[in-house]
Amino acid sequence: MLNIVLIAGSSRANSQSGKVARFLRQRLIDLDKASPDGCSIIDLGQGPLPLWPAEDTGPWSQYQQQLRAADAVVVIAPEWNGMACPAIKNFFIYASKAELAHKPGLLVGVSSGIGGSYPISELRASSYKNCRLCYLPEHLIVRGVEKVLNETDAASEDDQRIRDRIDYDLDILARYAVALKPVRAAIDLGIPAFANGM
């Protein structure tokens, strides 16, 4: 079984991103991609990170342990005013190659309306640079998030469509996680000259 960490990237305590993270975690377990013990959520609304730089890094040491043990991550990024929200961008300032290098990452954009693509675009452009996270070519966008993923059964065609896409993408994520394990083991991450991305 794989160890997968889901990052709910909203700073709101009871966010739709957290709801999506819980739904995806349950699907990973139901699809036998991860066990309940091997699938955890980092909810930045429940355990916020101080704005970088900070003397007291709060829950980061616990998050580091979760991320280092992970075979893959799911990054759930809500769209705020057409951008990735500050909490998830702050998270990637903390994250380094020690936690995320050469691990597959599935990006999930979340929007209350018909948006959700801008956070994906923004995070693909820069968030991987120093942490070396390998984003999948696949991604998810959960549009109209308040109306989907609320019940055990789909409430609409849109709800069923995103559920089907979720299962498809989680299967791909799990396959990448298995495939990249030997790649990570073969790469020397300790070369000082290449500590940061280009």
Side-chain angles (χ1 to χ4, degrees):
M1 285 285 188
L2 294 167
N3 186 319
I4 299 177
V5 174
L6 300 100
I7 304 150
S10 175
S11 56
R12 292 184 174 133
N14 295 304
S15 68
Q16 291 294 315
S17 298
K19 177 190 83 173
V20 171
R22 291 186 295 276
F23 184 90
L24 295 177
R25 178 184 182 273
Q26 190 57 53
R27 288 308 298 153
L28 284 162
I29 294 165
D30 292 346
L31 295 167
D32 290 326
K33 306 298 180 191
S35 68
D37 292 336
C39 196
S40 61
I41 295 172
I42 292 173
D43 190 330
L44 298 177
Q46 300 289 334
L49 290 167
L51 188 63
W52 180 272
E55 290 181 22
D56 176 15
T57 57
W60 180 245
S61 59
Q62 176 191 337
Y63 295 165
Q64 277 183 307
Q65 292 173 13
Q66 285 175 266
L67 294 166
R68 285 180 178 167
D71 299 307
V73 298
V74 179
V75 179
I76 301 152
E79 185 173 88
W80 289 8
N81 296 319
M83 297 178 283
C85 75
I88 194 64
K89 295 199 301 192
N90 188 48
F91 171 87
F92 278 108
I93 297 173
Y94 279 89
S96 74
K97 64 183 181 180
E99 293 85 33
L100 296 176
H102 308 291
K103 295 180 180 183
L106 175 64
L107 276 168
V108 182
V110 173
S111 175
S112 60
I114 60 170
S117 62
Y118 288 112
I120 288 172
S121 194
E122 189 175 348
L123 293 174
R124 276 193 193 281
S126 61
S127 65
Y128 71 94
K129 178 187 172 286
N130 286 340
C131 69
R132 284 20 185 266
L133 183 61
C134 295
Y135 286 124
L136 301 185
E138 292 288 333
H139 61 258
L140 290 166
I141 301 176
V142 183
R143 295 183 169 107
V145 67
E146 287 94 349
K147 298 176 183 175
V148 298
L149 311 180
N150 294 314
E151 305 295 336
T152 304
D153 297 320
S156 66
E157 285 183 26
D158 288 341
D159 199 354
Q160 188 59 55
R161 189 178 305 112
I162 193 61
R163 289 167 189 245
D164 292 343
R165 190 60 183 247
I166 284 168
D167 287 357
Y168 173 74
D169 282 359
L170 292 179
D171 179 64
I172 292 171
L173 178 67
R175 292 175 190 276
Y176 269 81
V178 171
L180 285 179
K181 275 186 180 187
V183 172
R184 281 197 309 281
I187 294 173
D188 181 358
L189 295 176
I191 303 172
F194 308 131
N196 296 313
M198 293 185 75

